[in-house]
Amino acid sequence: MRSYTLLNVYFLLLLLLAVSCQSAPAPYGACPTPQQLAWQQMEMNLFCHFGPNTFTGAEWGTGTEPEDIFNPTDLDCRQWTATARSAGFKGVIITAKHHDGFCLWPSPESVHTVARSAWREGKGDVLRELSEACKADELKFGVYISPWDRNDPRYGAPEYNGAFVRTLESVLGGQYGPVFEQWFDGACGEGPTGRRQVYDWPLFNETVHRLQPNAVIFSDVGPGCRWVGNEAGQAGRTNWSTLEVEGFEPGAGSPPTEVLNGGTPGASHWAAPETDVSIRPGWFWRASETPQVKSVQHLLKIYYESVGRNSLLLLNVPPDTRGRIDAVDSLRLMEFRAALDQIFAEDLSSGASVSGDARGRRFLPANVLSTDYDQYWALPDGQTRCTLTFSFPEPRTFNRVLLQEYIPLGQRIAAFHLDILTPEGEWRQIARETTVGYKRIVLTPTVTTTALRLTIDDALACPTLTRVALYQDNMYCEAEAN
Ligand code: FUL
């Protein structure tokens, strides 16, 4: 009788173990909201700096420019969106109001707007035209609205915050449809003797969420996504999507740029980095800078160091004085797209067999070969180290290893390395890295092998991977990119 009971307990435990191995790992730490996940899956968006600076050549306007300065001779937002779409961008963000305070829409809160310009006899509205063009070309529409305002006389006084909220309302209230991202720039060049505005960030964020519940809010410290800490197009090689935000705020009160660049492992807030960088030396279009439009090599470097390092890429391609994207820039974008298409045309892991530990039948190693994002590999709870071995039916040649964690359950992997099997039957290390996140593309030497080993050396909790893919890049040459 006694042994019968023990047997029962034993079987019950086995059953419990089997069931728990079939259930998904519990989310670890801070995890993305569905909006943050959808945002990250966009991967590349277009940034458009456009306004009085386009006509004056300034980077930061003073706010005293006459409204008539803004006079695009041939504005065509469909040309921007057609360009963005063919380049593979998923959304467009426009500088609706830059630091000079000029509003590209007839904001009732300001006298410094398109309504006071001669452009389209004061009846023009760039936001209307761009939001409609985005809709027609199936792109998402986002807005940059600078809190720092060099034109508004209320700037520096408490009433400016209310005015800024009404400014937000006139853009986000539905007039231009859904807004996927609200960009809050932390910059302020007033200097120590200038006007000092104490921003009501909680009120600004609440306003955005109230009017556009699906919008992801960008600022140095989120809450939706964070600044990557530089404007050179480089996310950290170690890059956590989590960030310690307690005690910090956008602008002067933000964490050091190295922290923004790499995030904080295990922090309680999810704010993945966004890499904003311009295709030109400046943020605004200038004829004199056309010869310096970044090369395809440079754009590929930026891609690998942003999208390939767990960041979203927001590439600025500023429209010119006609109100069109310069032919040089758009041609470069098409070449960039063609290069990406060529590099990522064929996943060289296809047909591989994958072996290694797994949480259970729903989470087998082979899941990393599937392109279904929700089908992923996972380890049992408590196991943070493991080796997955990919064996190929015939030798494969590659120099890019793409990895993706299943981030709805949080970011976990903290260290990994890659080895290949040499013809002598030995394992040779080809890369040693740290984080993965939503997407990591590891640049390795070109190797030919019949087997690849991925070893996870450390993770904050049992790791997950939804994708491992291999590519051969014959386009990118590091020496030419710099
Ligand atoms: C900075 C601004 O000061 C630049 O003018 C530009 O808009 C860039 C994207 O953000 O903080």
Side-chain angles (χ1 to χ4, degrees):
M1 176 66 189
R2 187 126 161 252
S3 66
Y4 176 73
T5 317
L6 268 179
L7 211 63
N8 268 352
V9 171
Y10 176 73
F11 279 120
L12 195 69
L13 280 176
L14 266 186
L15 192 72
L16 275 175
L17 191 72
V19 169
S20 76
C21 288
Q22 288 306 308
S23 63
Y28 170 78
C31 296
T33 62
Q35 289 82 1
Q36 286 173 313
L37 176 64
W39 171 88
Q40 186 126 29
Q41 286 173 330
M42 295 172 81
E43 297 196 1
M44 294 206 299
N45 291 326
L46 185 74
F47 211 4
C48 289
H49 275 67
F50 191 47
N53 297 345
T54 311
F55 302 86
T56 62
E59 270 301 315
W60 281 2
T62 59
T64 56
E65 297 80 10
E67 286 80 23
D68 281 343
I69 280 278
F70 182 80
N71 195 12
T73 50
D74 194 13
L75 180 80
D76 182 1
C77 291
R78 271 312 280 278
Q79 187 253 2
W80 312 4
T81 54
T83 308
R85 195 186 155 114
S86 340
F89 296 106
K90 300 289 188 274
V92 181
I93 298 181
I94 171 122
T95 51
K97 173 173 91 101
H98 202 249
H99 307 321
D100 55 32
F102 186 79
C103 300
L104 297 184
W105 79 105
S107 169
E109 204 44 50
S110 170
V111 290
H112 196 45
T113 78
V114 278
R116 292 282 186 103
S117 75
W119 176 62
R120 301 210 167 140
E121 291 155 356
K123 305 225 163 22
D125 183 342
V126 182
L127 299 194
R128 171 137 344 267
E129 293 190 32
L130 181 58
S131 57
E132 283 170 3
C134 280
K135 200 166 166 208
D137 275 317
E138 294 172 332
L139 293 166
K140 291 189 180 173
F141 171 68
V143 284
Y144 165 118
I145 304 178
S146 170
W148 180 34
D149 192 315
R150 302 182 95 177
N151 175 269
D152 196 312
R154 295 163 292 192
Y155 189 82
E159 66 252 43
Y160 176 77
N161 284 340
F164 189 67
V165 165
R166 292 189 293 279
T167 303
L168 292 175
E169 286 170 346
S170 75
V171 175
L172 307 174
Q175 301 84 322
Y176 303 111
V179 169
F180 84 98
E181 182 171 340
Q182 165 64 50
W183 224 86
F184 283 137
D185 194 331
C188 176
E190 288 283 323
T193 55
R195 298 177 295 172
R196 188 167 176 274
Q197 182 69 36
V198 181
Y199 296 121
D200 190 343
W201 289 111
L203 177 65
F204 300 166
N205 291 338
E206 256 168 58
T207 306
V208 177
H209 283 145
R210 171 169 55 84
L211 299 170
Q212 295 283 342
N214 289 324
V216 167
I217 302 179
F218 168 97
S219 86
D220 293 329
V221 292
C225 60
R226 72 173 195 266
W227 186 42
V228 78
N230 64 63
E231 293 175 343
Q234 277 183 318
R237 198 156 162 173
T238 295
N239 194 359
W240 295 95
S241 292
T242 42
L243 184 72
E244 189 47 67
V245 290
E246 204 48 47
F248 294 109
E249 61 170 41
S254 70
T257 50
E258 316 84 73
V259 174
L260 295 176
N261 199 237
T264 337
S268 57
H269 188 81
W270 186 276
E274 177 170 86
T275 301
D276 61 314
V277 54
S278 186
I279 197 167
R280 289 165 166 259
W283 289 102
F284 288 87
W285 181 87
R286 269 184 218 100
S288 62
E289 290 183 351
T290 302
Q292 294 171 72
V293 169
K294 289 184 173 58
S295 65
V296 172
Q297 292 299 327
H298 197 155
L299 293 174
L300 287 174
K301 176 181 163 70
I302 289 172
Y303 178 83
Y304 282 128
E305 294 182 355
S306 56
V307 177
R309 289 185 179 174
N310 187 35
S311 171
L312 187 134
L313 171 59
L314 180 62
L315 184 65
N316 180 63
V317 185
D320 61 15
T321 48
R322 296 169 307 166
R324 287 168 176 256
I325 291 176
D326 192 305
V328 171
D329 305 49
S330 66
L331 186 61
R332 196 58 44 79
L333 284 178
M334 296 312 118
E335 291 166 348
F336 173 49
R337 180 72 255 163
L340 289 176
D341 285 346
Q342 190 163 332
I343 296 165
F344 296 103
E346 193 190 351
D347 174 5
L348 298 159
S349 75
S350 67
S353 62
V354 197
S355 62
D357 294 346
R359 191 179 177 83
R361 267 182 304 138
R362 264 178 64 201
F363 306 99
L364 292 178
N367 287 1
V368 302
L369 301 178
S370 126
T371 51
D372 176 354
Y373 191 74
D374 290 320
Q375 200 175 339
Y376 57 95
W377 162 82
L379 281 181
D381 291 346
Q383 185 178 342
T384 53
R385 305 176 71 152
C386 165
T387 296
L388 293 184
T389 306
F390 298 75
S391 307
F392 311 115
E394 72 295 316
R396 298 281 164 92
T397 300
F398 58 87
N399 59 11
R400 304 288 177 256
V401 180
L402 180 148
L403 307 164
Q404 290 192 279
E405 276 181 82
Y406 186 67
I407 60 166
L409 299 177
Q411 189 178 349
R412 297 151 179 256
I413 297 172
F416 67 95
H417 70 271
L418 299 164
D419 301 294
I420 51 151
L421 190 63
T422 65
E424 296 73 40
E426 280 159 14
W427 290 103
R428 177 161 70 85
Q429 188 175 303
I430 55 165
R432 181 170 280 280
E433 298 288 340
T434 53
T435 53
V436 175
Y438 165 72
K439 186 176 269 190
R440 184 69 206 264
I441 305 171
V442 184
L443 277 60
T444 71
T446 298
V447 291
T448 301
T449 185
T450 52
L452 168 75
R453 224 163 56 171
L454 160 64
T455 302
I456 296 177
D457 299 298
D458 191 17
L460 305 184
C462 65
T464 71
L465 279 174
T466 182
R467 186 105 178 102
V468 176
L470 306 173
Y471 299 97
Q472 174 61 19
D473 175 355
N474 296 318
M475 310 288 299
Y476 177 59
C477 167
E478 203 169 354
E480 285 175 33
N482 295 302

